[in-house]
């Protein structure tokens, strides 16, 4: 079990404090092997309460410096406790855990995020660019304020096409991320129908609310895209022992079977997930 004590290099509020977002930079052994889409299971307290670790995605990886960055929203007791940790302290983490996203060999890589589902996608964007892929980001959030707080400037610095939406219309299309996704995908499909030429292979990585991931997975099935979704379930052990994070998937032969999000995921092929099935 990959247990380590990472040094907290910095730990601060990110963006507008009202959004409750925090950036945590850790230095230690995790960066050497971490891959985009994997997560750390973090012991938030040195006391017995809260007892259970909390899963947080690895948002970016800097192997040269031996650092990983976690971005998180303070939600309840666990993340509130974590938010009190200071630079210079050691953080007890299990990980990197989980399978992570695949990085296609060629073609286009579209990243689709809803809200704080953006966090695990930044490391993937950088890995995709390093592999020479054409990367696009589709990202929907509540407001301009949220997108800016959650790291929009860093995404702009990557120099990739950004297709944005906000629920209040303060930036990009007004509505969910399905709007800019539809706008980019319609002409792509239409051009393909007219020309009959095969389009560059499209891989799509999705993270966000369940309904949005389902919508992208279904669109992807209809269009023949290779879609991967990062599922979020409450976790206890984080290492496959308690079955607390089981989800139902359909295997290659169409049979329903259970998988553990912590160990078999959190990334699954979109076509395998049984969206309305028992969890
Ligand atoms: C693989 C994975 C990666 C994650 N990566 C990140 C990340 O990078 N950044 C981030 O901010 N969050 C991430 N999360 C979610 C994060 O783990 C939870 O927000 C956190 O555990 C909440 O703990 P808490 O004690 O603060 O809140 P709690 O007091 O435990 O819960 C507060 C509220 O959040 C809900 N909640 C808690 N955990 C989950 C969950 N896993 N799924 C759905 N609802 C939940 C509860 O039902 C409750 O309403 C990830 C979750 C998983 C499974
Ligand atoms: S959290 Fe225990 S099996 Fe996944």
């Amino acid at each position: 079990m990959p247990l380590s004590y990472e040094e907290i290099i910095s730990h601060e509020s990110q963006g507008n404090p009202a959004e409750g977002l925090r950036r945590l930079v850790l230095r230690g052994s995790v960066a050497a092997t971490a891959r985009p889409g994997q997560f750390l299971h973090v012991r938030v307290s040195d006391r017995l309460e809260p007892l259970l670790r909390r899963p947080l995605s690895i948002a970016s990886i800097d192997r040269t410096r031996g650092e990983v960055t976690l971005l998180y929203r303070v939600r309840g007791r666990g993340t509130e406790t974590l938010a009190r940790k200071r630079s210079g302290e050691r953080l007890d983490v299990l990980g990197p855990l989980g399978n992570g996203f695949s990085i296609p060999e060629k073609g286009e890589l579209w990243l689709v995020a809803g809200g704080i589902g953006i966090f695990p996608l930044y490391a993937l964007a950088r890995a995709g660019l390093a592999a020479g892929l054409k990367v696009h980001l589709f990202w929907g959030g509540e407001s301009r304020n949220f997108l800016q707080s959650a790291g929009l400037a860093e995404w702009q610095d990557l120099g990739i096409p950004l297709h944005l939406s906000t629920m209040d219309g303060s930036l990009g299309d007004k509505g969910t991320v399905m709007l800019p996704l539809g706008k980019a995908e319609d002409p792509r499909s239409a051009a393909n129908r007219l020309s009959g030429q095969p389009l560059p292979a499209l891989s799509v990585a999705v993270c966000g609310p369940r309904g949005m991931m389902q919508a992208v997975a279904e669109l992807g099935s209809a269009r023949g895209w290779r879609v991967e979704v990062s599922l979020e379930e409450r976790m206890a052990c984080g290492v496959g022992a308690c079955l607390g994070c089981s989800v139902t998937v359909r295997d290659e032969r169409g049979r329903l079977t259970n998988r553990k999000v912590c160990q078999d995921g959190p990334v699954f092929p979109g076509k395998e997930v049984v969206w309305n099935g028992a969890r």
Side-chain angles (χ1 to χ4, degrees):
M1 202 180 300
L3 174 67
S4 69
Y5 296 88
E6 306 282 300
E7 182 187 354
I8 300 179
I9 298 301
S10 67
H11 190 192
E12 52 208 23
S13 172
Q14 164 156 316
N16 183 339
E19 299 289 350
L21 303 176
R22 295 188 69 84
R23 167 180 290 263
L24 173 59
V25 181
L26 302 174
R27 186 179 294 155
S29 57
V30 166
T33 57
R35 296 194 311 274
Q38 290 189 300
F39 68 95
L40 298 182
H41 212 23
V42 177
R43 186 167 171 206
V44 294
S45 169
D46 302 329
R47 302 177 179 207
L48 279 178
E49 282 290 314
L51 183 64
L52 295 179
R53 292 170 180 269
R54 298 298 193 268
L56 294 175
S57 305
I58 297 170
S60 79
I61 305 159
D62 184 336
R63 291 204 211 287
T64 313
R65 299 168 77 99
E67 292 176 4
V68 292
T69 301
L70 313 185
L71 297 169
Y72 67 95
R73 170 167 268 162
V74 177
R75 294 184 72 160
R77 214 151 45 93
T79 42
E80 275 163 18
T81 309
L82 177 62
R84 291 198 282 273
K85 297 264 181 197
R86 296 281 165 260
S87 308
E89 288 183 50
R90 296 261 164 190
L91 194 63
D92 172 338
V93 302
L94 276 179
L97 298 177
N99 54 358
F101 291 106
S102 353
I103 298 167
E105 282 178 12
K106 56 183 182 177
E108 292 184 22
L109 175 61
W110 286 12
L111 312 176
V112 187
I116 61 171
I118 192 72
F119 294 155
L121 298 182
Y122 186 74
L124 180 60
R126 291 187 51 176
L129 289 171
L133 300 171
K134 197 168 172 196
V135 180
H136 285 246
L137 174 70
F138 300 82
W139 183 18
E142 279 306 310
S143 63
R144 173 191 292 263
N145 198 355
F146 167 78
L147 296 184
Q148 288 175 338
S149 293
L152 180 58
E154 281 176 72
W155 283 94
Q156 286 166 330
D157 287 346
L158 289 180
I160 62 173
L162 305 181
H163 311 260
L164 305 174
S165 72
T166 49
M167 295 311 286
D168 67 1
S170 51
L171 191 61
D173 291 313
K174 188 172 192 302
T176 73
V177 71
M178 297 310 288
L179 284 171
L181 184 63
K183 276 193 196 166
E185 119 35 54
D186 281 348
R188 195 176 187 276
S189 303
N192 174 238
R193 278 195 300 274
L194 285 174
S195 71
Q197 297 293 319
L199 290 164
L202 181 55
S203 301
V204 183
V206 197
C207 188
R210 205 173 164 87
M212 166 264 195
M213 292 200 286
Q214 178 178 359
V216 179
E218 287 171 356
L219 181 63
S221 289
R223 299 287 187 266
W225 304 340
R226 188 166 152 281
V227 178
E228 288 187 334
V229 299
S230 182
L231 295 184
E232 206 183 281
E233 287 297 324
R234 303 214 65 169
M235 287 182 184
C237 71
V239 291
C242 72
L243 305 183
C245 63
S246 291
V247 289
T248 308
V249 303
R250 198 177 294 281
D251 68 15
E252 304 85 51
R253 295 166 147 193
R255 292 173 309 200
L256 294 184
T257 177
N258 285 335
R259 292 272 188 274
K260 300 168 204 162
V261 171
C262 64
Q263 202 172 46
D264 305 313
V267 176
F268 292 88
K271 62 181 183 202
E272 285 185 9
V273 178
V274 179
W275 295 101
N276 302 315
R279 294 205 222 158

